[in-house]
Amino acid sequence: MAEHLIIDRNACAGHGLCYGGAPEILDCDDQGDPVLLVDPIPDDQLDKARLVVSICPERALSLQSR
Ligand code: SF4
């Protein structure tokens, strides 16, 4: 099982807190929307991924095991 960071595009408001807080996991596109840089999330970045899930004000991020 691996952990994947899921972005709910309908919920995302493009604040940038996620890619600003975890630039090793997320970047942004030209519209300011988050783009995943790693998938699945490496074990040594799981704590950071959990952190960005918790700080997203729109609850647009989640971790999924599969
Ligand atoms: S913090 Fe949440 S709402 Fe803001 S850009 Fe990231 S996913 Fe979107």
Side-chain angles (χ1 to χ4, degrees):
M1 295 276 268
E3 297 286 333
H4 301 266
L5 189 63
I6 308 300
I7 304 169
D8 181 345
R9 300 284 172 192
N10 293 321
C12 176
H15 308 290
L17 292 175
C18 56
Y19 46 80
E24 62 274 67
I25 298 174
L26 293 149
D27 197 358
C28 65
D29 64 14
D30 292 343
Q31 274 72 50
D33 294 324
V35 177
L36 270 177
L37 296 177
V38 288
D39 184 54
I41 303 296
D43 287 346
D44 63 353
Q45 294 180 8
L46 274 174
D47 285 347
K48 183 61 80 74
R50 292 187 186 104
L51 178 68
V52 292
V53 167
S54 72
I55 66 172
C56 174
E58 308 300 332
R59 297 180 182 265
L61 300 174
S62 59
L63 278 170
Q64 195 175 85
S65 300
R66 53 183 149 86

